Amino acid sequence: MDGDEPRDEVRETYDRIASHFASTREYPWPEVESFVADATESGPAERALDLGCGNGRHVELLSAHAEEVVGLDVSRGLLDEAVARAAERGFDAELVQGDASRLPFAADAFDLAVYVATIHHLAPRAARVASLNELARVLDADGRAVVSAWSTAHDAFDREAGFDTTVDWTLPGGETVPRFYHIYAPDEFDADLDASDLSVVESTVSSGNCYAVVTGR
């Protein structure tokens, strides 16, 4: 896959499964909750970004810890689910359709960001590193972000090296929809972070996922 093909495939896949997918994504991840609480311990963020926001569950979390929140996703279907969630639950956010490797935001626009379970949908590696560079670009000098990806450390994957695969999503009628993933080896995840314009504060593995707390350089 190259060019815009991976982005188009991801968008089409998640538009197709958006409603059912959103119904299974109710709560923020505990690791993200902990990161946001730590990052805003001394006061709320001015402007926060959820990169790959899906149905808005982490946008909702950020809205309680930031004065302004922006959520970006490639899928219009998932953004529609996020709009509905915001209206139902009464939180405010700007929701934008866009590409994680080409962010439509000014430099230094955010002081807090969440980038979870999204980078592993990008291909090839250059697009993944480009997305990390874009995250670094839009973080201000004091900004922090958490980045996560599926990992070979998960029990579901009996591999040591990172690899590309598809993971099926099963719709209620039994139809399966393949989703592209790059499953990261932890050292490969660290290598991509090191190759980017981000500085790593901490890198860990939790619940089978790679996590890193990062800042812009």
Side-chain angles (χ1 to χ4, degrees):
M1 293 192 294
D2 56 21
D4 288 339
E5 182 182 350
R7 179 189 61 185
D8 292 344
E9 288 188 1
V10 170
R11 184 187 68 242
E12 291 166 4
T13 294
Y14 278 93
D15 282 349
R16 189 173 176 186
I17 69 174
S19 178
H20 185 235
F21 181 84
S23 72
T24 68
R25 297 299 189 268
E26 177 65 19
Y27 302 108
W29 287 1
E31 294 87 351
V32 179
E33 289 183 306
S34 296
F35 163 76
V36 171
D38 289 346
T40 59
E41 185 176 9
S42 61
E46 291 185 11
R47 199 158 187 252
L49 170 66
D50 184 354
L51 183 50
C53 66
N55 71 332
R57 58 178 168 161
H58 292 123
V59 172
E60 182 178 2
L61 169 68
L62 289 168
S63 70
H65 295 271
E67 295 175 8
E68 295 181 42
V69 181
V70 178
L72 178 140
D73 204 280
V74 74
S75 166
R76 172 52 56 187
L78 285 176
L79 289 171
D80 289 344
E81 296 292 333
V83 168
R85 184 183 183 111
E88 177 185 337
R89 301 184 183 214
F91 63 90
D92 293 323
E94 178 184 355
L95 297 168
V96 178
Q97 187 173 21
D99 180 355
S101 61
R102 296 190 293 243
L103 297 181
F105 308 121
D108 306 321
F110 302 97
D111 56 332
L112 181 65
V114 169
Y115 186 19
V116 299
T118 297
I119 192 172
H120 51 221
H121 291 308
L122 301 181
R125 178 181 185 245
R128 295 191 288 273
V129 174
S131 76
L132 296 172
N133 288 339
E134 281 289 89
L135 177 59
R137 182 182 65 80
V138 301
L139 280 175
D140 70 19
D142 299 317
R144 285 201 170 198
V146 63
V147 182
S148 84
W150 281 20
S151 167
T152 57
H154 195 284
D155 292 341
F157 305 115
D158 187 20
R159 304 271 286 270
E160 292 187 4
F163 63 100
D164 292 346
T165 189
T166 56
V167 178
D168 285 343
W169 184 267
T170 304
L171 292 167
E175 178 187 4
T176 57
V177 181
R179 300 172 295 158
F180 171 82
Y181 277 79
H182 179 77
I183 309 301
Y184 268 102
D187 59 350
E188 178 195 16
F189 182 71
D190 290 341
D192 277 7
L193 290 166
D194 288 342
S196 78
D197 295 331
L198 294 165
S199 290
V200 178
V201 176
E202 179 184 18
S203 181
T204 60
V205 174
S206 177
S207 303
N209 298 312
C210 292
Y211 286 89
V213 175
V214 298
T215 64
R217 287 180 178 167

